[in-house]
Amino acid sequence: LHVAREPMDSIFSAFKHDFPPGGLDYTSEFAGLATLYHCYRDVIEHWERVLPGRVTHVRYEDMVTDLPNVAPKIIEAAGVPWDPTVLDFHKKKHAVNTLSTTQVRKGVYSHHFKGWKRYEKFLEPLLDLVGSRAEYDRLKTTLPGYLKTDTQPAKPQPIPISIPKQ
């Protein structure tokens, strides 16, 4: 199972986090991030060549915008019985030991799609290093039995505020 996110969003997500010193130092340098991304893509392309059709791809954006339809198909493809509480992952009380702990508790949201674009001018050198692999539109979700719906990312809703009458 290969879950793929829009390349520049994925790379920018690593870049903008302040990881503790040590194992992830490359995330603070464009060259290191681009090299890692190219290595990752080389691995995926290798397995596609060696075992054609055996890698099941899931676009991260499909998972976020269509979780109730994607999640059961992922579970089915893994050969695990479906449990509807999978959709309530953000309500679980178990520990989450990542930088995204607070994000996990919020559930699925899509306001971060194309978030890197706000910094595109600053990120142009990184985009140049990633090159044509920054193109993402060709990748499709290939889960057996999954039919992409035409759902669009949810737009942030205004928070209702009640103002007492004076």
Side-chain angles (χ1 to χ4, degrees):
L1 181 65
H2 170 233
V3 178
R5 185 176 177 189
E6 197 277 335
M8 289 300 293
D9 272 346
S10 185
I11 297 167
F12 179 59
S13 178
F15 178 72
K16 71 182 180 179
H17 286 96
D18 187 22
F19 292 105
L24 300 172
D25 294 342
Y26 63 87
T27 62
S28 63
E29 301 172 354
F30 286 174
L33 285 164
T35 298
L36 182 69
Y37 186 75
H38 285 293
C39 289
Y40 146 72
R41 289 290 299 272
D42 290 345
V43 168
I44 294 299
E45 289 169 13
H46 165 79
W47 288 116
E48 280 291 338
R49 277 191 311 278
V50 173
L51 299 170
R54 295 281 307 273
V55 177
T56 299
H57 301 283
V58 177
R59 285 177 60 103
Y60 172 81
E61 293 79 5
D62 288 346
M63 194 165 55
V64 168
T65 60
D66 198 16
L67 187 64
N69 291 313
V70 172
K73 294 301 179 187
I74 291 172
I75 299 296
E76 183 181 326
V80 177
W82 173 246
D83 179 349
T85 64
V86 165
L87 299 174
D88 296 326
F89 67 90
H90 57 289
K91 296 177 183 175
K92 306 268 191 235
K93 300 295 180 203
H94 64 280
V96 178
N97 190 19
T98 71
L99 284 177
S100 59
T101 299
T102 56
Q103 292 173 337
V104 169
R105 301 292 181 226
K106 293 177 185 175
V108 177
Y109 55 89
S110 60
H111 68 269
H112 57 287
F113 289 175
K114 300 280 188 189
W116 74 275
K117 287 278 198 184
R118 288 186 294 257
Y119 307 94
E120 187 170 10
K121 185 174 176 95
F122 172 72
L123 295 172
E124 280 179 12
L126 176 58
L127 185 58
D128 290 342
L129 290 169
V130 175
S132 64
R133 284 182 158 171
E135 295 173 24
Y136 180 63
D137 293 335
R138 292 185 309 241
L139 182 70
K140 305 294 180 213
T141 293
T142 61
L143 278 168
Y146 173 69
L147 297 174
K148 181 172 174 44
T149 62
D150 287 333
T151 57
Q152 296 296 317
K155 292 183 180 171
Q157 298 297 312
I159 299 170
I161 299 173
S162 102
I163 301 172
K165 293 182 182 178
Q166 304 243 346

